[in-house]
Amino acid sequence: MPQPSAPPALTIIIYIAAFALVLFRMSRPQRISTARLWIAPSLLTFVGLWVIYVEQQVTPSPFWELVVAVALGLLLGAPLGFLRGAHTPVQATENPGVMTLGSALVPALIYVTAFAARLALRVIFPIGSTVGIVVGDGLLVFAITFLAVSYFAIYRKYIALE
């Protein structure tokens, strides 16, 4: 079966637009409610787990490799997420349950780089490559953990302000 050598141009354009949107949104202060704070990590966790599950059904990789990749993603994403949360300026607003987050361009770059590296793996390694799948899944877990832990740290800072 022939393997595509690179993703179609439209796919690359969509990724670039999504990356630009993430960088734009995180590079300026934003108001966010405590309820909305948990929507993105929850949604990303669900989608990430679903992607890993589907990939394992289509092209299974050795279980121990997947466990190592997920563990490394968790171990690297958690401390960087805490650092992001600790260094993100948080201000309470006049509305209860609503905060203002300062700009976070460096964390946005880290987050986008993890997804860009996963996309690059798809181009470099052939479809079905165990290395590409396992490393890509580790990067996906890293990005999700980074976001979830950083929002947890931000939430703790907000609670301390009230």
Side-chain angles (χ1 to χ4, degrees):
M1 182 159 69
Q3 300 288 326
S5 60
L10 180 61
T11 303
I12 292 172
I13 291 170
I14 290 171
Y15 276 115
I16 290 172
F19 291 160
L21 179 65
V22 167
L23 290 174
F24 173 74
R25 289 203 60 217
M26 292 184 80
S27 68
R28 54 197 218 9
Q30 56 184 314
R31 291 172 62 99
I32 187 169
S33 70
T34 55
R36 198 177 115 209
L37 190 67
W38 302 112
I39 292 173
S42 300
L43 185 61
L44 280 175
T45 300
F46 174 75
V47 170
L49 292 175
W50 180 255
V51 166
I52 291 171
Y53 172 76
V54 169
E55 267 185 342
Q56 291 303 309
Q57 298 303 312
V58 173
T59 311
S61 57
F63 183 72
W64 72 269
E65 290 179 2
L66 182 63
V67 169
V68 168
V70 168
L72 286 173
L74 290 168
L75 289 173
L76 295 173
L80 288 175
F82 272 120
L83 281 174
R84 186 259 172 140
H87 294 290
T88 300
V90 177
Q91 294 177 345
T93 63
E94 63 279 353
N95 301 330
V98 178
M99 67 186 95
T100 301
L101 299 180
S103 66
L105 188 57
V106 171
L109 287 172
I110 292 170
Y111 186 72
V112 167
T113 301
F115 277 100
R118 188 170 195 273
L119 175 63
L121 288 172
R122 299 284 182 220
V123 174
I124 294 169
F125 292 102
I127 293 176
S129 165
T130 303
V131 173
I133 290 172
V134 169
V135 174
D137 290 347
L139 287 168
L140 184 63
V141 170
F142 165 80
I144 293 168
T145 304
F146 174 78
L147 183 68
V149 170
S150 66
Y151 278 6
F152 176 73
I154 288 169
Y155 179 74
R156 286 184 34 197
K157 284 176 75 172
Y158 173 72
I159 293 299
L161 289 174
E162 289 193 323

